[in-house]
Amino acid sequence: MYVSMKDMLWHAHDNNYAVMAINCVNMEQAKAIIESAQEEHSAVIINISPRQMKAHGYPEILAPMIKNMAERVNVPVAFNLDHGVNYEDITRVIHCGFSSVMIDSSSFSFEENIKRTSVVARIAHANGLSCEAELGHVGIAAQEDNKNQDLYTNPEQAKEFVDKTQCDCLAVAIGTAHGSYPKDFVPKLDFDRLKVLKETLKMPLVLHGGSGAGDENIKKAVECGINKINVCTDFFKHAQNAMAIALKENPNIDYMDVNMIAEDEMKKFIKNYMRLIGSDHRYYFEENVVIELD
Ligand code: 13P
């Protein structure tokens, strides 16, 4: 089923679990993500950022392909613009057929963030898409932004922000950051702040920087109210490592076989993560009516 993020995230909110949002730039990744979701009976969100769209994953080609794959399975699949900043990208993906957008104006002032998010939420809703926003700022792990509490989300501001913008879910900054942390470093998350945010907002909350945050942290974040977890770096690393090993073992390996090995590794990673955040076995269907992707 090809759907927006809205209902699946309220289902996760009502039942206290989280849905993965995984960055994707090609068919192999989309296939691994959607097959994993189907096999785990889990909802899933496919993300792509403006940088990824520019570098490799043309949204005009990915959107119809993902929609086609999603319509062959019995679990909810959303396609979301990750960290949309400008109106050109937002309107472009709406025209392409994305089911969701994120407007990230978290680098602007509180007032400007409200202004920009409200406009995008209105446009998204008018076109049947859900809208994610960010308040506070989830920065870059390599810059140690995760430790900068000035960037963390303020719960009182968050209430005003959601009331005024009408966003469907909110990305909060509580101590994670994007990308790889230094070796053996595990971030310290502000769970007390997260609990207050959940109690105040009573709506789906989003955690960015789901790579390298540590299983215990991720599990506790879900217990405290996170319903969508963005994962990119670790997902890409798994595929890259699998390809490197396959090529090392057999430098003459067929190109298609390398891709298929990567796909299998990506599926293993996704399925484990889905079980960690409790999104598995949330959707039930008769096995004999499943339409396989291949
Ligand atoms: P990671 O690359 O740290 O997993 O972050 C992904 C993310 O938050 C995308 O929005």
Side-chain angles (χ1 to χ4, degrees):
M1 295 126 71
Y2 187 64
V3 296
S4 86
M5 302 195 299
K6 191 174 175 185
D7 288 351
M8 68 162 82
L9 290 184
W10 275 98
H11 187 268
H13 167 86
D14 290 342
N15 294 285
N16 198 219
Y17 69 92
V19 176
M20 280 184 94
I22 312 166
N23 289 72
C24 163
V25 296
N26 62 20
M27 182 190 78
E28 289 74 19
Q29 291 186 316
K31 208 157 153 272
I33 295 168
I34 294 173
E35 283 182 3
S36 300
Q38 173 78 348
E39 288 166 25
E40 288 298 310
H41 291 229
S42 167
V44 80
I45 296 158
I46 300 182
N47 264 343
I48 188 165
S49 69
R51 187 185 67 79
Q52 291 167 333
M53 294 198 307
K54 204 166 166 204
H56 187 69
Y58 290 104
E60 286 78 8
I61 293 168
L62 282 181
M65 182 187 74
I66 286 171
K67 187 164 186 269
N68 182 299
M69 287 184 188
E71 281 169 352
R72 294 165 190 264
V73 295
N74 308 76
V75 288
V77 178
F79 191 26
N80 179 45
L81 175 67
D82 190 27
H83 295 286
V85 177
N86 60 50
Y87 296 124
E88 289 74 21
D89 284 333
I90 304 272
T91 48
R92 182 178 176 194
V93 304
I94 290 174
H95 284 128
C96 290
F98 279 42
S99 69
S100 306
V101 289
M102 175 194 188
I103 170 73
D104 178 1
S105 300
S106 63
S107 297
F108 293 91
S109 69
F110 181 61
E111 291 71 26
E112 185 65 16
N113 192 352
I114 290 181
K115 211 163 100 187
R116 287 170 173 253
T117 302
S118 310
V119 173
V120 172
R122 256 203 320 275
I123 297 171
H125 293 157
N127 286 279
L129 286 79
S130 55
C131 177
E132 173 182 346
E134 179 167 324
L135 183 69
H137 181 68
V138 182
I140 311 291
Q143 296 169 7
E144 300 196 337
D145 287 336
N146 45 294
K147 294 180 183 164
N148 184 354
Q149 298 194 6
D150 293 344
L151 300 177
Y152 290 9
T153 310
N154 172 318
E156 274 170 34
Q157 276 194 336
K159 176 91 182 90
E160 184 184 343
F161 183 85
V162 171
D163 287 345
K164 288 192 171 154
T165 62
Q166 295 296 301
C167 61
D168 298 295
C169 58
L170 185 69
V172 294
I174 55 161
T176 56
H178 296 99
S180 301
Y181 299 102
K183 196 169 176 309
D184 298 327
F185 176 84
V186 180
K188 188 169 162 17
L189 307 195
D190 188 344
F191 293 113
D192 290 336
R193 184 183 299 261
L194 176 56
K195 282 182 204 155
V196 176
L197 282 162
K198 191 68 172 184
E199 193 42 49
T200 311
L201 299 175
K202 297 183 176 60
M203 68 183 289
L205 298 181
V206 183
L207 186 73
H208 281 243
S211 298
D215 286 5
E216 287 314 309
N217 273 337
I218 293 293
K219 262 200 323 220
K220 194 155 178 207
V222 175
E223 274 166 33
C224 296
I226 290 293
N227 306 112
K228 168 179 181 275
I229 304 189
N230 283 24
V231 183
C232 179
T233 305
D234 282 353
F235 177 60
F236 277 51
K237 264 192 209 162
H238 267 77
Q240 184 192 358
N241 286 342
M243 287 175 146
I245 292 168
L247 281 161
K248 195 166 174 217
E249 281 173 0
N250 177 7
N252 297 318
I253 189 170
D254 182 79
Y255 172 73
M256 191 171 73
D257 291 338
V258 182
N259 279 291
M260 286 162 69
I261 287 170
E263 219 177 289
D264 279 348
E265 267 320 297
M266 290 190 278
K267 282 180 74 172
K268 278 187 208 146
F269 170 77
I270 295 167
K271 287 173 162 207
N272 278 335
Y273 209 107
M274 283 176 165
R275 288 176 207 157
L276 178 71
I277 64 178
S279 71
D280 62 301
H281 295 92
R282 297 287 176 172
Y283 291 87
Y284 291 93
F285 45 83
E286 298 280 336
E287 293 295 340
N288 62 4
V289 299
V290 171
I291 305 157
E292 297 288 353
L293 273 172
D294 52 8

